């Protein structure tokens, strides 16, 4: 088990290297860890899940509205089944709230039967149309003018941070080398691929490109120009836990050309989320929020759930989705090069991640990768970040055994010294205080670290020393 964040890279040759330690790349590395091979997972950032994976809508999808017959449709359906089981095994918080796809005008209401039929063609048979009276009874705080909804009971909310971290942790414990702060600058291919990285050369027999927003650029280093990633910014507003009682389901709009549109959704952390926007950009680093974007979200939110706008805002953030202009994933195998591209993985990538990983290993096997001798991995059990599940500050027996779990550092999110200590000493430790927040929720509450920030940073810096 090796996790490195600086210095030169180990010598020798890897059997497979995965570029990109987001939720998909980490899932692929985890699946490869089952094989008796030498595997590397590299990422330009100082932590796993630092790109698109950390700033999405955190929904475990059924795939009811995917393009029927597409690769995405199959992998989302399979991935939902795999991740649901894995979450239970690994302690990843999931809440099966169900979704209501709400129609607000005649055009949207007329689209509901087609969406229900689409769900059936995607293998999801539980969706049904709900009349306005039922929708209003189930969501009494909805704004005026509801004309009906498509009820999708299988949709859930999940913790995206813990999911990526669980994959990477399990992979690392199984022997995968995780190299962070390791940007790929060039690729020379022959009998093996030699990656020029910011930390020196890395040789690998097979290569998987799961670089998210930069997957098209890595693809071009291998001589391919099959797709172009256009970053699509999604701004979101997070409302404080006092807003949680206003909404019982994931409230989805009827989807448009740029995606699923603006939703209102509870989170596993006890908050309520409004968003995202869908803005096509040129800059793959522009995760800033804008006054115009937030104003648009508030306008949409006021129609969906008017009382939400009276609640306190906990946070505002933005993520970039790897849009390609195509309606399907850009997963391509190049057997002669021993190379697989995993591109164009949009908001469903979290749900599909485990199925994508299985599919990628199958493609590698078809390219000659030996896959005999696969083993089961030792299970992992992740710290719980969800409000619907027991947390340390409320566990008297745990506190009796270790008083550090009773010493709260972040009072907004009720995060204890014990949890921070554990995260800092974990298999894949955080690379920054923000990484620590994604592992513990510390500094993620209504004061955004105003009261606990200094104490949290001191613990972080002490651990780094």
């Amino acid at each position: 088990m090796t996790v490195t964040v600086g210095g030169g890279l180990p010598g020798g040759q890897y059997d497979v290297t995965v570029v990109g330690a987001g939720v998909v790349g980490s899932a692929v590395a985890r699946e490869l860890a089952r094989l008796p091979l030498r595997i590397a997972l590299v990422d330009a950032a100082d932590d796993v899940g630092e790109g698109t994976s950390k700033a999405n809508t955190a929904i475990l999808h059924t795939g009811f509205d995917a393009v029927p017959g597409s690769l995405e449709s199959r992998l989302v359906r399979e991935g939902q089944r795999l991740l649901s089981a894995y979450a239970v095994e690994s302690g990843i918080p999931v809440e099966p709230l169900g979704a209501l796809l709400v129609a607000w005008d005649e055009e949207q209401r007329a689209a509901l039967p087609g969406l229900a039929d689409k769900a059936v063609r995607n293998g999801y048979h539980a969706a049904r149309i709900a009349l306005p009276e039922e929708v209003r009874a189930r969501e009494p705080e909805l704004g005026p003018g509801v004309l009906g909804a498509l009820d999708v009971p299988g949709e859930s909310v999940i913790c995206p941070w813990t999911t990526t971290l669980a994959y990477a942790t399990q992979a690392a414990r199984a022997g995968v080398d995780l190299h962070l702060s390791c940007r790929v600058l060039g690729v020379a291919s022959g009998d093996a691929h030699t990656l020029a990285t910011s930390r020196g050369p890395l040789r690998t027999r097979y290569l998987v490109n799961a670089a998210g927003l930069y997957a098209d650029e890595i693809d071009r280093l291998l001589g391919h120009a099959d797709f172009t990633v256009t970053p699509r910014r999604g701004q979101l507003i997070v409302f404080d836990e006092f807003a949680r009682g206003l909404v019982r389901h994931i409230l989805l709009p009827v989807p448009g050309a740029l995606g699923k549109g603006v939703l209102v959704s509870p989170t596993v952390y006890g908050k309520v989320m409004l968003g995202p926007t869908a803005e096509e950009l040129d800059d793959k680093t522009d995760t800033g929020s804008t006054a115009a974007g937030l104003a648009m979200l508030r306008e949409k939110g006021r129609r969906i759930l008017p009382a939400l706008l009276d609640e306190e805002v906990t946070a505002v953030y933005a993520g970039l989705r790897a849009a390609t202009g195509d309606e399907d994933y850009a997963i391509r195998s190049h057997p002669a090069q021993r190379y697989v591209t995993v591109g164009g993985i949009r908001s469903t990538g979290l749900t599909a991640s485990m199925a994508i990983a299985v599919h990628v290993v199958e493609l590698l096997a078809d390219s000659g990768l030996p896959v005999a001798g696969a083993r089961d991995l030792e299970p992992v059990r992740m710290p719980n970040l969800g409000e619907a599940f027991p947390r340390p500050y409320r566990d008297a027996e745990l506190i009796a055994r270790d008083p550090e779990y009773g010493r709260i550092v972040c009072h907004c999110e009720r995060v204890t010294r014990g949890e921070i200590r554990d995260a800092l000493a974990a298999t894949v430790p955080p690379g920054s205080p923000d990484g620590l927040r994604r592992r513990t929720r510390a500094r993620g509450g209504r004061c955004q670290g105003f009261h606990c920030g200094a104490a949290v940073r001191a613990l972080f810096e002490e651990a780094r020393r």
Side-chain angles (χ1 to χ4, degrees):
M1 178 178 70
T2 302
V3 179
T4 70
V5 293
L9 298 173
Q13 180 172 294
Y14 288 101
D15 294 299
V16 189
T17 294
V18 181
V19 178
V23 70
V24 171
S26 296
V28 173
R30 174 193 169 276
E31 187 66 22
L32 286 166
R34 300 175 63 242
L35 304 174
L37 301 172
R38 191 177 182 214
I39 310 297
L41 174 62
V42 304
D43 198 282
D46 63 3
D47 202 353
V48 300
E50 267 287 345
T52 298
S53 300
K54 73 179 182 183
N56 55 39
T57 50
I59 294 175
L60 186 56
H61 296 283
T62 58
F64 78 95
D65 58 347
V67 176
S70 65
L71 180 62
E72 180 181 19
S73 173
R74 175 171 71 84
L75 295 181
V76 169
R77 188 167 61 249
E78 294 175 4
Q80 194 263 356
R81 176 181 58 82
L82 292 171
L83 182 49
S84 294
Y86 183 74
V88 173
E89 172 190 296
S90 304
I92 299 167
V94 174
E95 291 187 50
L97 302 175
L100 293 172
L101 198 77
V102 182
W104 298 94
D105 58 41
E106 289 296 339
E107 182 179 354
Q108 291 177 359
R109 179 163 67 176
L112 295 181
L115 288 165
D117 177 66
K118 189 178 190 181
V120 171
R121 287 185 287 142
N122 278 313
Y124 185 75
H125 298 273
R128 64 178 187 84
I129 295 174
L131 297 175
E133 299 77 17
E134 179 189 347
V135 178
R136 178 71 59 191
R138 292 171 61 179
E139 287 289 354
E141 298 293 338
L142 280 172
V146 175
L147 300 181
L150 185 69
D151 179 17
V152 189
E155 300 274 300
S156 304
V157 292
I158 187 172
C159 177
W161 306 330
T162 308
T163 304
T164 304
L165 186 61
Y167 294 159
T169 297
Q170 200 168 24
R173 289 180 182 174
V176 171
D177 286 352
L178 172 60
H179 301 305
L180 300 168
S181 300
C182 185
R183 183 179 300 277
V184 175
L185 306 172
V187 180
S189 297
D191 292 338
H193 302 287
T194 300
L195 277 58
T197 82
S198 55
R199 294 178 51 194
L202 182 152
R203 282 178 56 82
T204 186
R205 180 80 172 145
Y206 290 80
L207 183 62
V208 177
N209 168 14
L213 292 164
Y214 299 92
D216 58 339
E217 297 178 26
I218 299 293
D219 218 36
R220 282 162 176 73
L221 295 177
L222 274 294
H224 305 286
D226 296 340
F227 63 95
T228 297
V229 172
T230 301
R232 182 174 294 161
R233 181 169 61 191
Q235 301 182 51
L236 298 109
I237 301 174
V238 181
F239 292 86
D240 195 42
E241 60 190 27
F242 294 116
R244 180 61 184 84
L246 296 175
V247 58
R248 303 170 183 173
H249 304 77
I250 303 163
L251 301 179
L252 299 172
V254 176
L258 288 179
K260 293 179 170 60
V262 174
L263 58 85
V264 174
S265 176
T267 73
V268 294
Y269 320 114
K271 312 295 193 297
V272 177
M273 183 169 56
L274 170 65
T277 59
E279 308 157 61
E280 303 282 1
L281 304 177
D282 296 322
D283 186 352
K284 294 182 178 181
T285 65
D286 189 357
T287 56
S289 299
T290 66
L294 299 179
M296 186 277 282
L297 290 180
R298 292 181 66 86
E299 178 185 348
K300 297 278 190 181
R302 185 169 285 108
R303 179 174 190 184
I304 300 167
L305 208 69
L308 184 62
L309 276 298
D310 296 328
E311 298 295 331
E312 184 177 340
V313 172
T314 294
V316 169
Y317 69 94
L320 298 176
R321 307 191 285 284
T324 63
D326 295 327
E327 291 189 319
D328 205 353
Y329 294 158
I331 300 179
R332 315 274 165 77
S333 178
H334 304 279
Q337 289 181 295
R338 304 174 308 282
Y339 169 61
V340 175
T341 301
V342 189
I345 311 298
R346 298 176 298 276
S347 59
T348 56
L350 171 61
T351 302
S353 53
M354 296 187 81
I356 291 173
V358 172
H359 181 59
V360 167
V361 173
E362 290 171 349
L363 293 176
L364 291 170
D366 291 341
S367 300
L369 180 74
V371 294
R375 56 177 175 152
D376 292 333
L377 299 177
E378 285 293 321
V380 294
R381 191 70 188 174
M382 305 304 293
N384 167 54
L385 301 187
E387 283 300 303
F389 307 88
R391 294 195 50 213
Y393 78 95
R394 300 178 65 179
D395 189 334
E397 292 185 7
L398 179 63
I399 294 167
R401 292 196 303 270
D402 187 342
E404 291 291 88
Y405 292 114
R407 297 185 176 121
I408 293 178
V409 177
C410 171
H411 287 268
C412 293
E413 297 297 279
R414 297 169 290 280
V415 181
T416 67
R417 285 180 64 97
E419 292 168 277
I420 293 172
R421 175 201 62 200
D422 294 349
L424 292 169
T427 302
V428 184
S432 67
D434 280 344
L436 181 59
R437 174 177 53 82
R438 293 193 296 275
R439 287 161 172 80
T440 64
R441 292 173 48 181
R443 298 169 48 252
R446 66 178 66 92
C447 87
Q448 289 293 288
F450 180 81
H451 289 287
C452 70
V456 171
R457 178 167 281 281
L459 291 170
F460 175 79
E461 296 295 346
E462 180 182 350
R464 286 171 73 90
R465 288 196 296 270

